[in-house]
Every structure is written in structure tokens, then in C-alpha cells.
Amino acid sequence: MPELLDERVGFVRRIGLFQATAINMSQMCGIGPFVTIPLMVAAFGGPQAVIGFLAGAVLALADGLIWAELGSSLPGAGGSYVYLRQAFQYRTGKLMPFLFVWTAMLFVPLGMSTGVIGFVQYLGYLWPGMSQGQGDAVGLVVTVSIVVLLWRRVESIAKLTVVLWTVMIASVVLVITAAFTHFSPESAFTYPAHAFELTSSHFWTGFAAGLTIGIYDYLGYNTIAYMGAEIKAPGRTIPRAVICSILGIMTIYLLLQIGTLGVVRWQDMLDPNNPASSSVASAVLEKAWGKGPAEAVTVLILVTAVASVLAGLLGGSRIPYDAARDRVFFRPYGTLHPRHRFPVLGLLTMGLIMAAGFLLGRHTDLATIIQLLTTVMVIVQALAQVAAVTVLRRRQPTLRRPYRMWLYPLPSIVALAGWLVIYGYADRNSPGRHPIEWSLAWVAAGVVAFVLWARYEKEWPFGPKRISEEYLTEGATGAEGAERGDPDTEPV
């Protein structure tokens, strides 16, 4: 009884393709586009802001193909932790996986905190007199409630996520429908002078800012890879879920952006005294269908925000688990709930950091959180994984790869260029916030923590490198291979 054995020692593979895609899409969409459309318009200075969502889609798809190859060939709990551990162990021991877990414990809950900020922002449409303190209290209650919802078995969460995904689809379809039933082409496609002047530094500064916002809106296409040990037939399921969710969300975002610009003047989105600057979807609905329907759909948008945060925290809480089991992180993080089989300490820690990030964002601004989480993520995860694909192809050429990246190495090159643009322009797009300096400081602190940990554990550089190639040695057939989902090896 392989499943009973798994119940005693680790995760169980219970999530199929539809649930995996729903988890990804719920995390990707959520409240993100509803709060960032005005930010995107501000970055570009007009309705040409749709370029930002297109650029974000290109980067997400290129990076998604990297995740697809790594996730299908190394389907373990923790996602990037597993990939970086396998790729970089030959030269730097456990440094890279340690740094990834260190940074992920910050950037994952910060990302989720933006969803809670968006929740409170849209709640203001239903509760116009909400004070700052009341908004803070609501956000903290939402955070605690999400942790409570995740305090259960993964298969019941997967079912709940499908329900929430349905609500998410309903909310975006209603907003898109309202927009296109009252659509004005003149509003959507009348551009300010010099909007597409490619020789202007203003255009490229806006493009870099828009790409950052765009990829933030697409983040979540990798959520299911963090749960690789809980996916049925991961060799097929992970690549398909990643690619399908990116293409589906890209379609939704483009329709939302264009439709919204066809109803609400882009100048109104830039006016802080106009409701469209904080709750643009509600403004679209009110203008198209009236106050009552706008309030009803705003409730669905709030549910969508909860769905996004729940899916993201679900995947993110798995990151420290595998590292702790390998003794690359604090050992208590390697303990699962004895009955429900989820990582207790990872969930609680990220829930606390998410609450702190929410309060920080509420008392600064949303752009601060987006810039900080993006720059921290780029250094240790995004750029490192671009290298990891090539390193693994050279170091482990016999590794079973149920999916191999299309057009390799072109997607890696595109992803590398996109992430470097985002990182290079981070400080320029956020004067006074210095996200690059903060991200480097956090990584430097992680290096110090690694040195102290390595000295205590007598790991490299204070001990021998411990090379582990378990994904090469595990059988591809029989019961062991079946538990990993390896029989599903046909091309995706």
C-alpha cells in the first residue's frame, strides 16, 4: 500500500491536472490585476499600458518553461529548493539551496501580503468610511483566517481551491463583460503624444516599470511546482499546469486591461481622489451596470483575493520542509502535522511574515512591497534557475526529463534578459525605497547565516561536499517510480 506508507513518512500525491491548474490560476489572478491596472497606466502614462501585460506574459512563459522542465524532472516538495540543491551542490555545497529558503521565507509571504492589501483596498468600495486602523484590523483577521483554512489535509484544500477558482473566473468574466458592453474604442485606443517613441528614455523606463508590474501579476505559475511531492503524475501534470495557467491568465489580463480602459478614462486612474485609482474594477461595474451590481461583483473580487493568497501560502509553506528534512534549514521545519500531513511551522512562520508585510504595505505603498519582493526573488531564485537548467543538463545528462524545454536555450535567454531588466531598473523606478540595497542586504545576511550554520553542521566549506543524486538513482519503473509519477513520460 504505497499511499499508506507515504502517509507515515511524507506527502501524498493527490492533486491532479485540473486542481493543479486551478491552484496556479487562483494564485496568479487573485486581486493582482484589479489593483495594478492603475499602476500599469501610471508606469506608461496612457492606455499603451497593455504593453506591460504582454511583456509580462512573454517573460512568464519563458520562465515557466524553465519551471516546467525542472518541475517534471525533479518533482519534490519545495520547488526551487530541490532544483538549486541538485544543480549547485557540485561547486558550492548547500549554499544556494540554503540562500533560496532564506530568501523565500521573505518574498513568498510578502507577495501574499499584497493580496491582503488589495482585499482591504477593494473593501473600501463597500465600506467608504473605513479608517486606517479598521483596515489594518480587517487585514490581520483575513490573514489569520487564511492560515486557519490551510490547517487541513491537502486534498480538501485542493477542492476548496477549485471552488474559489470558480469564483475568481466568475468575477473576472463579469468585469470583462461589463467593460465590453459599455466599451469605447476612443477611450481604449487614444494614446497621448509620443506614447510609442522608442528612442525616448521615458518609454523604456516605463517599460521596465511595467514589466515589473506585469510579472508580479503573473507570479504564481510556479505555485504547483512547490508542491511537486503532492502532484499525481508530475512528469505530465506540472508542465501542463504551468503552461495552461500562463496562457489562460494572459487572455484574462489582456481583456481586463483593454476593457477597463474602454470604460474608465486613464486620466481618472491616475487621480488619487477618484475611486477608479483604488478600485478600478468596481468603477467599471458601477459605470456599466450601476451601484448594486458593482457592489455584488466587488464581493466576488474580495473572494478572489482570498483565493489567491490561500493558494500562494499553500505552495509557499512547503518550501522549508524539504530543506529541513535534508538538514539545510532549521530542523523543526521538517515536521508535518501528524494527522493532516502539512508543514506546520512553515505555514505559521509565513503567516506571521505575511501579516508584517501587510502592515508595512499599508503604511508605505503597494509599489514598495512589489519592488522588494521582486528584487529579492530575482537574485536567488529567478537568475539561479536559469543557470540551473543548463547546469543540470551538463551535470546530470541521464536525468529523466518527461518534459524538455521547447526551443532550448532561447527561453532561458529571454528569461535572463527580462529578469536583468527588472532588477537593473528597480531603484530607478522606486526613488527613496532602495529595493536593490535591501535585497542585497538580505542575501548578505543569508550568507552570514549560512557560514554560521555550515560551521556548526560541519558542512562545506568547513567539511566535505555531500553530493546527492537521488533523482538519478531512483527507479523509473515499478512501485517506486509509480509513487513519483514517472511512468507518465510522453512529451507534453
Side-chain angles (χ1 to χ4, degrees):
M1 299 290 289
E3 184 168 306
L4 292 179
L5 176 63
D6 250 355
E7 284 276 40
R8 293 193 296 271
V9 301
F11 292 122
V12 182
R13 297 192 182 280
R14 290 172 170 150
I15 299 176
L17 176 59
F18 181 70
Q19 292 173 326
T21 305
I23 288 172
N24 270 3
M25 291 183 70
S26 296
Q27 162 61 6
M28 292 170 73
C29 187
I31 197 77
F34 296 121
V35 298
T36 58
I37 286 176
L39 295 179
M40 190 73 83
V41 170
F44 280 90
Q48 69 274 25
V50 70
I51 296 172
F53 285 116
L54 287 171
V58 171
L59 176 54
L61 192 55
D63 194 59
L65 295 181
I66 294 173
W67 280 90
E69 176 166 326
L70 294 174
S72 65
S73 56
L74 305 170
S80 294
Y81 163 73
V82 178
Y83 316 150
L84 302 187
R85 184 191 70 198
Q86 288 294 306
F88 297 106
Q89 60 182 329
Y90 304 99
R91 290 188 178 274
T92 57
K94 295 179 178 178
L95 172 63
M96 288 304 294
F98 183 95
L99 284 180
F100 167 71
V101 178
W102 176 270
T103 55
M105 294 294 287
L106 177 66
F107 72 71
V108 170
L110 281 181
M112 299 310 99
S113 71
T114 63
V116 183
I117 293 170
F119 179 97
V120 175
Q121 195 169 307
Y122 265 78
L123 183 63
Y125 180 79
L126 302 177
W127 184 1
M130 180 174 55
S131 67
Q132 179 79 17
Q134 289 170 328
D136 292 347
V138 168
L140 293 176
V141 169
V142 170
T143 300
V144 172
S145 300
I146 288 171
V147 172
V148 171
L149 283 173
L150 291 173
W151 203 272
R152 64 193 71 242
R153 297 177 73 90
V154 70
E155 67 269 25
S156 61
I157 298 173
K159 294 174 183 176
L160 174 62
T161 303
V162 170
V163 174
L164 295 175
W165 174 82
T166 304
V167 174
M168 181 269 289
I169 292 296
S171 63
V172 296
V173 166
L174 286 170
V175 174
I176 291 170
T177 301
F180 280 97
T181 54
H182 290 72
F183 185 77
S184 168
E186 291 77 14
S187 176
F189 302 117
T190 299
Y191 305 104
H194 312 296
F196 301 100
E197 190 174 316
L198 301 184
T199 57
S200 167
S201 61
H202 176 75
F203 175 87
W204 292 110
T205 300
F207 178 85
L211 179 61
T212 302
I213 296 167
I215 196 61
Y216 160 77
D217 281 328
Y218 283 99
L219 287 179
Y221 54 83
N222 50 11
T223 298
I224 206 64
Y226 290 129
M227 306 172 64
E230 299 166 86
I231 306 299
K232 297 176 183 177
R236 290 188 302 171
T237 301
I238 292 177
R240 291 178 178 180
V242 169
I243 294 168
C244 290
S245 58
I246 291 172
L247 295 177
I249 291 296
M250 177 185 69
T251 303
I252 289 172
Y253 283 176
L254 292 178
L255 290 173
L256 272 176
Q257 175 76 64
I258 295 171
T260 299
L261 288 167
V263 177
V264 178
R265 295 172 65 250
W266 63 269
Q267 293 90 343
D268 292 340
M269 298 184 196
L270 304 183
D271 181 0
N273 297 317
N274 194 303
S277 65
S278 59
S279 50
V280 67
S282 299
V284 168
L285 289 157
E286 182 175 342
K287 193 169 182 178
W289 293 341
K291 187 75 171 177
E295 291 177 344
V297 179
T298 299
V299 172
L300 297 183
I301 293 174
L302 295 178
V303 175
T304 296
V306 172
S308 173
V309 176
L310 184 142
L313 198 59
L314 169 66
S317 64
R318 270 66 179 164
I319 293 174
Y321 171 76
D322 225 24
R325 288 281 295 261
D326 290 341
R327 298 173 71 173
V328 184
F329 206 60
F330 303 106
R331 299 182 190 182
Y333 283 92
T335 302
L336 294 178
H337 191 282
R339 179 180 170 194
H340 297 312
R341 316 305 297 167
F342 67 87
V344 177
L345 194 55
L347 176 61
L348 290 176
T349 302
M350 289 195 176
L352 287 172
I353 297 174
M354 185 172 78
F358 163 74
L359 293 175
L360 173 64
R362 284 275 294 168
H363 292 272
T364 54
D365 57 72
L366 182 61
T368 297
I369 300 298
I370 292 176
Q371 290 284 358
L372 180 58
L373 74 90
T374 304
T375 50
V376 171
M377 180 194 71
V378 165
I379 301 178
V380 178
Q381 182 185 48
L383 296 181
Q385 282 193 184
V386 172
V389 169
T390 299
V391 170
L392 284 169
R393 286 198 177 199
R394 293 177 179 176
R395 288 282 190 174
Q396 298 185 12
T398 59
L399 178 68
R400 293 190 63 261
R401 292 175 172 84
Y403 167 81
R404 294 176 70 89
M405 184 194 303
W406 300 332
L407 302 176
Y408 175 84
L410 181 59
S412 292
I413 295 171
V414 172
L416 176 64
W419 291 122
L420 288 176
V421 166
I422 287 172
Y423 193 78
Y425 277 82
D427 272 359
R428 185 171 179 177
N429 291 335
S430 51
R433 294 191 288 265
H434 307 296
I436 288 181
E437 287 83 349
W438 281 108
S439 66
L440 291 175
W442 184 258
V443 173
V447 172
V448 173
F450 172 78
V451 170
L452 296 175
W453 171 86
R455 186 176 182 84
Y456 178 80
E457 295 285 352
K458 295 181 172 57
E459 292 282 351
W460 179 91
F462 302 101
K465 294 175 184 172
R466 307 177 195 275
I467 306 300
S468 174
E469 297 178 327
E470 66 268 29
Y471 290 92
L472 283 178
T473 57
E474 286 184 1
T477 59
E480 186 178 17
E483 283 186 39
R484 294 179 60 224
D486 288 342
D488 304 287
T489 60
E490 62 265 31
V492 177

